[in-house]
Amino acid sequence: MDINLNQTDEEYVIQRAKDALKENPYAAKAWMLTAKSLYPNNFGVQFEAYLIEKTAGNVKEAAKCFSDMIGKFQQAPELWKEIEKVTSALRCETDNEDSEKQFLCEMFKHISSEVQHKLLVFTADHCEDTMEHCRLLLLLLQRFPTAISSYGPKLVDTLMIAEKHSDDGHYPINSYRRLLVCELLPLLAKQETKLELNSKLLLKLLNKAVEYYLCCLGKSNSSIQENEASSESTWSKLFSVLEFIGRQLNWRSHLINFTQNWSKESYWQNVIMYSQMRAKTIVSDDKQLLYCLPIFFLYCLYEYTASLTPEQAPGQTATQYLLVEAFLDPTLPNPVSEPKGKKRKSDSEIIHTTTPYISVEKPELKVMQSNFLMCINCWEFITTYDIVHREFLKIYSHLKLDSWLASFVIDYAIYKGRYEEALMYLQKITDSNLTLQKYIRLADLFYIHKSYNSCLEPILLSLPLLSSSNVGYLSNSLTVGGNQRHLHYLPLTRFAVLQYLVKVLLRCIKDNMGKHDYSELSIGHIFVLTQLDWPQEEDFIPPLLEEIKQHRSFQYHLFQNYIINVDIMEELTYLWTHQGGQVHLEILPNLGSQRRIGTRGADKGAKEELKQAIKRQVARSNEKLDDLIINFLRNERALILQALV
């Protein structure tokens, strides 16, 4: 064997061990044991011994070598690189596919607890990068819970200071806040004993957690269904932080208890009992209620918003729902068993003084109603107490929660019958995602205000926004009996929205007819519009036919274009028979006023033309009514407006 005369004795032994390792691992190990015994204070020898054991996959032996080096050679650069590899492997221990990282994690387990602790503390203290320092301390606390009381408060301070001075510290979702809220606080919460954290700091931590989690939820708010599981987990984490802070501040357990068995209804009862116990003397230092109630309200609000877009089966289009003022017919059975009315009244004549009845399309959608009523309970409590309201407004303005409240405050105003307030909120909406909802509600509110000529414009603006992919179906729930106010969760599908808007327009035209002696144009428009929801709207027709019969004439030149309902055509053709009253009909535009249709034989050719026209209309009875009505609204805007002025 060639001997290098420039080698030291230590280097010679190390070289012999390396050479032997390729052919005879046992000989290599013997050489290294000899070297370690001869040169116990030589880092090169000790480190090479560690590398040989590591290369051979000997976990226990590598752990012993590593421990020895930590005690003797803490300043060696090569050792620090290896320590960094170990700590890096530990931070992603649950997701390690790298064989070296797996080995290092396993090796760490065979190091004594004392050395583990020493390694993590020493590494953190000598780390110049603040984020890396915080991660190492967090790793220490995860590995050694007993160290939480000593290092936990220090790490809290370090993270808060680091966030304050970081470039993105002004935005709640940043790396330091994430480490503080998502990793450190849950770790602190597991401690059974109180930590040395003052009340001011604890409330600041709660504020930071609320900011962080609400911002996370706000980012997923526009796609709630895709983030449903994560959003539920996010609320659970926020409640855990609230519970931890509450325990530290000695808050009452029933207002910070969000275990698996809790419910919104039981929690609300706890709020009521607490407020009654305080005998309405809620003061500014009552931090428990000032924090718990707004957080609970925002949770209820999030749940309510989520329920307005129910989860669909795979492959189906998700349908959104919108709360609208719906319609009444006292001749129908009352949904709350009120005695049946004897006479139909115009919807505008109903006195809107009672608590509204709220209807949904299907029983499984009643969760919308229950969520909404819980939000109302919270909102009215918050706005009743000035101190609670001011605290909520701080959160609201600081976190810019406009998108959370935008729809709810309109729903609430409509529920309370505060239509001017609802209109004010609607006019502030600029979110393009809420454009259709805005137009639907504007049409609704203009009708309620009897501003009939203003209804048409939002209806027309809604038409291009009707979904072509989510056609849906006509609703049977838009009209209920009795004279209690009626609200309905309208599905934002093509048919349902068109049906609702047509019902609004129908009633606008019908109510406005009272201002005219006899409006053939209005009657004709009503004939057209009732076709969409036939026979639900057939009650509109008999009074109109009676008016035509009394005036003995009817002119509507849009008949051929838009009336294809067989029942309506039968009623009209009956009117010009001898039995029907011999009414003169002018419903074919090419006949002109000189060829009015009667039964006295004055113009048999005109009568024959009418018969043929009716036959042609009957042949069209299977046409798509939604397209026909939309074309009517778009093409006859000026004539429709005449019936509304």
Side-chain angles (χ1 to χ4, degrees):
M1 182 185 71
D2 294 333
I3 298 176
N4 186 347
L5 297 178
N6 294 322
Q7 282 183 321
T8 63
D9 293 343
E10 294 91 330
E11 291 171 342
Y12 171 75
V13 177
I14 290 172
Q15 187 61 48
R16 293 300 303 269
K18 284 183 176 180
D19 293 340
L21 184 62
K22 301 172 185 176
E23 303 292 338
N24 189 343
Y26 296 104
K29 191 167 186 176
W31 275 106
M32 287 314 304
L33 287 173
T34 302
K36 286 179 67 178
S37 300
L38 291 173
Y39 312 108
N41 297 317
N42 185 290
F43 172 74
V45 170
Q46 304 299 323
F47 189 70
E48 193 61 41
Y50 162 73
L51 291 179
I52 287 175
E53 299 295 357
K54 180 183 175 182
T55 303
N58 298 325
V59 176
K60 292 182 180 180
E61 290 82 353
K64 186 177 184 307
C65 294
F66 194 73
S67 299
D68 291 343
M69 287 190 294
I70 288 175
K72 294 179 180 178
F73 310 107
Q74 294 175 354
Q75 303 304 322
E78 292 89 344
L79 179 60
W80 270 107
K81 290 180 181 179
E82 198 66 19
I83 289 173
E84 288 173 0
K85 289 182 181 180
V86 173
T87 54
S88 174
L90 292 174
R91 283 200 298 274
C92 51
E93 183 176 5
T94 57
D95 187 28
N96 259 337
E97 296 182 359
D98 187 292
S99 58
E100 182 184 18
K101 289 184 177 180
Q102 289 177 351
F103 177 87
L104 293 175
C105 289
E106 194 63 28
M107 182 189 76
F108 187 81
K109 295 176 184 177
H110 288 81
I111 297 174
S112 67
S113 297
E114 181 182 352
V115 175
Q116 287 181 354
H117 189 283
K118 183 178 180 180
L119 181 149
L120 293 173
V121 172
F122 189 74
T123 308
D125 288 344
H126 285 75
C127 185
E128 295 182 359
D129 182 78
T130 306
M131 176 55 73
E132 191 66 19
H133 168 79
C134 293
R135 285 175 175 163
L136 287 169
L137 279 183
L138 185 65
L139 185 60
L140 170 69
L141 303 186
Q142 291 168 341
R143 296 279 172 173
F144 300 96
T146 54
I148 289 178
S149 58
S150 301
Y151 291 94
K154 294 179 182 178
L155 183 52
V156 168
D157 290 337
T158 302
L159 284 169
M160 292 180 72
I161 293 171
E163 180 189 27
K164 184 178 180 180
H165 292 93
S166 66
D167 293 336
D168 57 354
H170 62 283
Y171 185 58
I173 300 180
N174 61 73
S175 54
Y176 291 106
R177 181 78 67 92
R178 187 177 291 111
L179 207 63
L180 174 67
V181 171
C182 299
E183 298 193 51
L184 180 56
L185 288 184
L187 202 60
L188 300 182
K190 293 178 181 178
Q191 286 292 99
E192 296 182 0
T193 57
K194 279 195 173 185
L195 298 170
E196 294 298 324
L197 299 171
N198 62 57
S199 58
K200 185 177 180 180
L201 178 59
L202 286 167
L203 291 175
K204 189 177 290 187
L205 287 173
L206 180 55
N207 279 326
K208 287 187 173 293
V210 170
E211 285 179 1
Y212 178 83
Y213 284 126
L214 290 185
C215 281
C216 290
L217 290 163
K219 289 178 68 177
S220 66
N221 209 26
S222 59
S223 53
I224 290 170
Q225 295 307 316
E226 291 79 356
N227 294 277
E228 186 172 1
S230 61
S231 67
E232 191 60 38
S233 172
T234 301
W235 281 111
S236 179
K237 291 172 183 175
L238 176 54
F239 290 149
S240 295
V241 173
L242 179 60
E243 189 173 355
F244 159 62
I245 300 294
R247 286 201 315 268
Q248 297 293 312
L249 294 170
N250 295 318
W251 287 354
R252 293 179 178 272
S253 60
H254 61 272
L255 284 188
I256 57 172
N257 182 21
F258 297 95
T259 59
Q260 289 183 341
N261 297 323
W262 84 286
S263 68
K264 294 194 288 287
E265 291 72 20
S266 61
Y267 189 88
W268 176 247
Q269 291 305 314
N270 289 335
V271 171
I272 295 300
M273 287 189 293
Y274 180 81
S275 62
Q276 290 173 344
M277 180 189 68
R278 294 300 302 262
K280 297 185 179 181
T281 57
I282 299 172
V283 293
S284 58
D285 62 350
D286 191 353
K287 298 297 184 183
Q288 177 169 350
L289 195 61
L290 296 183
Y291 278 87
C292 293
L293 185 58
I295 292 173
F296 175 67
F297 168 63
L298 290 172
Y299 172 71
C300 294
L301 187 58
Y302 192 90
E303 290 269 288
Y304 173 57
T305 305
S307 68
L308 293 179
T309 310
E311 185 178 4
Q312 299 293 316
Q316 293 185 356
T317 304
T319 300
Q320 285 184 283
Y321 288 79
L322 180 71
L323 187 68
V324 295
E325 191 96 27
F327 311 103
L328 299 168
D329 182 354
T331 65
L332 297 174
N334 191 283
V336 288
S337 303
E338 184 178 285
K340 183 178 179 180
K342 295 182 180 180
K343 181 181 178 182
R344 179 185 178 116
K345 297 180 181 180
S346 167
D347 293 297
S348 63
E349 295 173 8
I350 302 301
I351 300 174
H352 301 295
T353 56
T354 57
T355 300
Y357 169 75
I358 302 177
S359 61
V360 293
E361 291 294 310
K362 296 176 284 188
E364 57 265 32
L365 298 178
K366 279 191 172 293
V367 65
M368 297 176 187
Q369 178 185 359
S370 59
N371 284 342
F372 179 51
L373 294 178
M374 184 58 70
C375 287
I376 288 175
N377 289 338
C378 294
W379 184 244
E380 290 184 340
F381 191 105
I382 288 172
T383 52
T384 297
Y385 294 98
D386 290 340
I387 295 170
V388 182
H389 194 203
R390 283 199 300 270
E391 191 64 35
F392 175 78
L393 289 177
K394 288 180 185 177
I395 300 174
Y396 172 80
S397 59
H398 181 67
L399 296 179
K400 299 177 176 60
L401 297 175
D402 301 65
S403 60
W404 288 57
L405 280 171
S407 294
F408 169 73
V409 291
I410 300 172
D411 289 354
Y412 178 72
I414 291 173
Y415 177 84
K416 302 298 286 186
R418 301 173 184 169
Y419 302 120
E420 292 288 350
E421 185 179 323
L423 196 58
M424 178 190 70
Y425 286 129
L426 274 173
Q427 290 167 343
K428 292 180 180 178
I429 290 178
T430 57
D431 187 348
S432 59
N433 294 320
L434 299 175
T435 304
L436 177 60
Q437 292 93 316
K438 177 179 179 178
Y439 291 148
I440 293 170
R441 281 175 153 162
L442 282 174
D444 179 20
L445 292 174
F446 287 142
Y447 163 61
I448 292 171
H449 278 290
K450 300 183 185 296
S451 182
Y452 302 133
N453 60 327
S454 299
C455 280
L456 185 58
E457 194 62 28
I459 290 175
L460 293 176
L461 290 171
S462 298
L463 299 181
L465 304 175
L466 297 182
S467 173
S468 56
S469 60
N470 192 0
V471 176
Y473 52 86
L474 295 177
S475 171
N476 293 320
S477 307
L478 282 172
T479 304
V480 299
N483 55 13
Q484 182 182 11
R485 281 183 60 219
H486 174 208
L487 304 181
H488 179 70
Y489 280 104
L490 178 73
L492 298 184
T493 61
R494 179 180 175 87
F495 274 117
V497 172
L498 183 61
Q499 177 191 21
Y500 178 76
L501 294 175
V502 166
K503 281 181 177 289
V504 169
L505 185 57
L506 259 174
R507 284 151 179 78
C508 288
I509 295 174
K510 178 66 171 65
D511 292 352
N512 201 50
M513 280 178 63
K515 302 175 183 178
H516 309 280
D517 292 334
Y518 178 55
S519 174
E520 294 169 300
L521 188 63
S522 296
I523 292 173
H525 291 345
I526 291 175
F527 285 157
V528 174
L529 295 173
T530 52
Q531 297 178 111
L532 181 68
D533 198 12
W534 192 271
Q536 302 299 324
E537 299 285 38
E538 65 179 339
D539 286 353
F540 276 91
I541 302 303
L544 301 181
L545 294 172
E546 188 61 34
E547 278 197 61
I548 294 173
K549 191 172 181 180
Q550 289 176 6
H551 286 80
R552 300 182 60 79
S553 68
F554 176 63
Q555 175 182 340
Y556 190 64
H557 289 167
L558 297 178
F559 175 86
Q560 275 189 300
N561 293 336
Y562 302 112
I563 296 179
I564 62 173
N565 181 280
V566 174
D567 293 334
I568 294 176
M569 287 187 286
E570 284 182 351
E571 293 289 352
L572 282 174
T573 53
Y574 176 74
L575 290 178
W576 61 267
T577 64
H578 180 74
Q579 297 87 347
Q582 298 180 330
V583 173
H584 292 286
L585 299 180
E586 194 171 327
I587 56 178
L588 302 180
N590 60 328
L591 292 180
S593 60
Q594 300 303 315
R595 301 179 64 188
R596 299 169 69 99
I597 306 302
T599 59
R600 299 182 180 276
D603 196 333
K604 293 182 180 180
K607 289 174 62 178
E608 186 60 30
E609 283 189 48
L610 178 65
K611 288 180 182 179
Q612 293 303 316
I614 294 295
K615 286 182 179 180
R616 288 193 297 271
Q617 295 302 96
V618 171
R620 295 176 54 198
S621 60
N622 290 325
E623 286 186 13
K624 294 177 65 175
L625 280 169
D626 56 323
D627 289 340
L628 183 140
I629 297 298
I630 288 174
N631 287 334
F632 169 71
L633 295 172
R634 284 174 171 165
N635 299 337
E636 313 304 336
R637 180 183 183 278
L639 289 176
I640 296 171
L641 197 58
Q642 285 183 35
L644 296 172
V645 174

